[in-house]
Amino acid sequence: MCGKELIGKIRALILVGGYGTRLRPLTLSRPKPLVEFANKPMLIHQIEALVEVGVTEVVLAVSYRAQEMENDLSEEAKKLGVNLIFSHETEPLGTAGPLALASKILSENDEPFFVLNSDIICDFPFKEMIIFHKNHGREGTICVTRVEEPSKYGVVLYDDDGCIKDFIEKPQEFVSNKINAGMYIFNVSILKRIKLQPTSIEKEVFPDMAKERQLFALEFQGFWMDVGQPRDFLTGMCLYLSSLRQKKSEKLMDQDGVIGNVIIDPTARIGRDCKIGPNVIIGPNVIIEDGVCIRRSTILRESIIKSHSWLDSCIIGWRCVIGRWVRLENNTVLGEDVIVKDEIYINGGQVLPHKNIASSVPEPQIIM
């Protein structure tokens, strides 16, 4: 039985209401869900994966820059055959309030629904989630994943059957390395637990569900990353590219000057004697001049990297111009339309949009 036959009329709600402060300076120009990850808006990765299992209606819980998201995503959703419904918050409602706000839509039938955090990039296990959820028959399923640094996240404790016993937020001592992966599936009955007010699903709803043995954990295999901040964005990019390699994806480039896992948009132009990779994504209409070396970086659309520059662990925003013989490294992020003059060194700089950088930045700092 394929995923689409299994799922029937299941909807999804994606939480996209945040300000994206952790991913500044990129989010000063675009809402975080529209920032391109591997040359498509982060949110489109999630929507495409939902479409693969037959979801045709997606509710976006929006508050900040909602009109921009509507304008940018409607066309893309139409191509995918998805009906996007924008649920507008007049005040931030946390991670549970948006479910109450959209409860009329989510309860139009008795089928369970997905809820996703918009920062997540992974091998989305939606088919496994729905099978597991229907098999245990309780109110909710949380996807969990193993991480090396559980102290950054919320740890989930559960028994051998997957029944969740407890949650520990950012533990300072090791209790488990299984964390909440920000992907859920719920029966519509959960909506009775949530009032239309700012509410945290993790702190105010899940603990009661766990006490009643109504919440189960599905541990999924495959890569996972919360890409909501630059360092993790780049780590997630490497994991995503590695996953494409395992799947023998045709998206990866194989040409002279390309090393390891690299995606280059067909409209990008690459000069002679360049070394691109490993772990590089080059966006539409980017120009890379001769002798440039780029590794572990994302170059967003319409940027220009002039000859003999060297980039390692960087995110270069839209329409930037990097001069000749420039060196950028150590999670440097350039906002939109930044100009870096020739022979400049930037070490871990976060540069706000529309800046002109004429002197080197030897220590990590925010450049306003």
Side-chain angles (χ1 to χ4, degrees):
M1 188 183 279
C2 80
K4 294 190 181 188
E5 289 165 336
L6 252 167
I7 281 194
K9 270 289 184 190
I10 288 192
R11 295 178 174 82
L13 180 140
I14 305 178
L15 299 163
V16 292
Y19 292 104
T21 49
R22 296 182 304 150
L23 201 55
R24 285 178 179 166
L26 299 172
T27 48
L28 295 170
S29 297
R30 281 168 83 69
K32 183 172 56 181
L34 299 183
V35 172
E36 293 94 331
F37 180 94
N39 290 346
K40 66 176 85 159
M42 278 186 209
L43 203 59
I44 295 299
H45 288 270
Q46 297 190 337
I47 292 172
E48 284 178 347
L50 288 165
V51 166
E52 276 182 30
V53 293
V55 173
T56 56
E57 199 161 82
V58 175
V59 179
L60 297 184
V62 292
S63 57
Y64 173 64
R65 294 165 78 171
Q67 194 57 54
E68 197 176 336
M69 277 197 261
E70 206 160 328
N71 296 345
D72 276 40
L73 290 168
S74 296
E75 192 62 34
E76 205 65 44
K78 210 165 154 190
K79 284 186 214 158
L80 293 168
V82 171
N83 179 26
L84 280 189
I85 299 166
F86 290 84
S87 177
H88 295 263
E89 301 172 22
T90 51
E91 60 169 332
L93 290 171
T95 48
L99 278 69
L101 187 63
S103 63
K104 197 171 171 197
I105 301 158
L106 297 172
S107 58
E108 276 178 9
N109 61 31
D110 290 336
E111 289 288 347
F113 56 88
F114 289 107
V115 174
L116 311 176
N117 291 344
S118 65
D119 298 354
I120 305 304
I121 292 289
C122 66
D123 282 326
F124 296 103
F126 297 142
K127 186 176 173 185
E128 293 89 335
M129 284 174 75
I130 192 72
I131 293 168
F132 179 78
H133 183 75
K134 290 197 166 178
N135 282 345
H136 69 65
R138 304 297 170 86
E139 199 166 60
T141 296
I142 294 180
C143 231
V144 300
T145 185
R146 286 173 201 254
V147 292
E148 286 177 21
E149 284 185 73
S151 60
K152 282 171 61 178
Y153 304 98
V155 167
V156 185
L157 302 177
Y158 51 93
D159 66 21
D160 292 343
D161 295 325
C163 187
I164 292 173
K165 297 185 289 186
D166 204 1
F167 298 90
I168 298 169
E169 190 59 32
K170 298 183 179 172
Q172 294 314 297
E173 292 180 14
F174 183 85
V175 285
S176 168
N177 60 358
K178 314 287 177 34
I179 66 150
N180 178 349
M183 297 178 284
Y184 319 122
I185 187 162
F186 301 125
N187 294 344
V188 291
S189 56
I190 194 177
L191 298 170
K192 293 176 188 159
R193 298 178 182 270
I194 305 167
K195 291 183 179 147
L196 184 49
Q197 61 189 39
T199 313
S200 162
I201 200 163
E202 298 86 356
K203 292 175 185 167
E204 298 174 66
V205 180
F206 287 168
D208 287 344
M209 291 174 74
K211 273 183 205 153
E212 296 167 26
R213 298 180 61 81
Q214 286 295 330
L215 199 54
F216 277 65
L218 169 66
E219 185 185 337
F220 85 102
Q221 309 307 315
F223 84 96
W224 175 93
M225 202 70 209
D226 173 340
V227 294
Q229 54 192 18
R231 182 185 297 277
D232 294 339
F233 185 101
L234 290 170
T235 301
M237 175 197 73
C238 298
L239 293 169
Y240 174 79
L241 290 169
S242 174
S243 162
L244 291 183
R245 175 65 67 195
Q246 287 166 9
K247 293 170 186 165
K248 299 185 167 53
S249 171
E250 291 177 5
K251 291 179 187 171
L252 295 175
M253 298 302 295
D254 182 14
Q255 63 186 53
D256 284 351
V258 167
I259 304 153
N261 301 331
V262 172
I263 292 175
I264 300 175
D265 187 89
T267 59
R269 287 187 288 160
I270 312 290
R272 293 169 302 171
D273 303 320
C274 290
K275 286 201 170 90
I276 310 292
N279 297 312
V280 171
I281 294 172
I282 293 177
N285 300 309
V286 166
I287 297 171
I288 311 282
E289 293 188 356
D290 298 349
V292 168
C293 178
I294 306 175
R295 58 190 190 203
R296 201 175 181 273
S297 296
T298 284
I299 317 294
L300 295 171
R301 66 184 142 75
E302 293 170 32
S303 283
I304 298 169
I305 318 290
K306 294 194 174 174
S307 56
H308 305 292
S309 284
W310 189 96
L311 285 72
D312 186 358
S313 298
C314 300
I315 306 173
I316 306 302
W318 311 270
R319 292 179 289 282
C320 289
V321 179
I322 312 295
R324 295 172 182 83
W325 297 99
V326 166
R327 182 179 178 111
L328 309 177
E329 63 185 349
N330 189 22
N331 300 309
T332 286
V333 185
L334 306 188
E336 180 181 17
D337 177 40
V338 168
I339 296 171
V340 179
K341 299 290 190 187
D342 294 352
E343 299 179 23
I344 294 292
Y345 171 56
I346 302 180
N347 170 27
Q350 314 269 305
V351 184
L352 270 62
H354 316 298
K355 300 301 291 182
N356 209 320
I357 306 297
S359 56
S360 290
V361 182
E363 297 297 328
Q365 59 182 278
I366 296 167
I367 297 134
M368 302 173 75

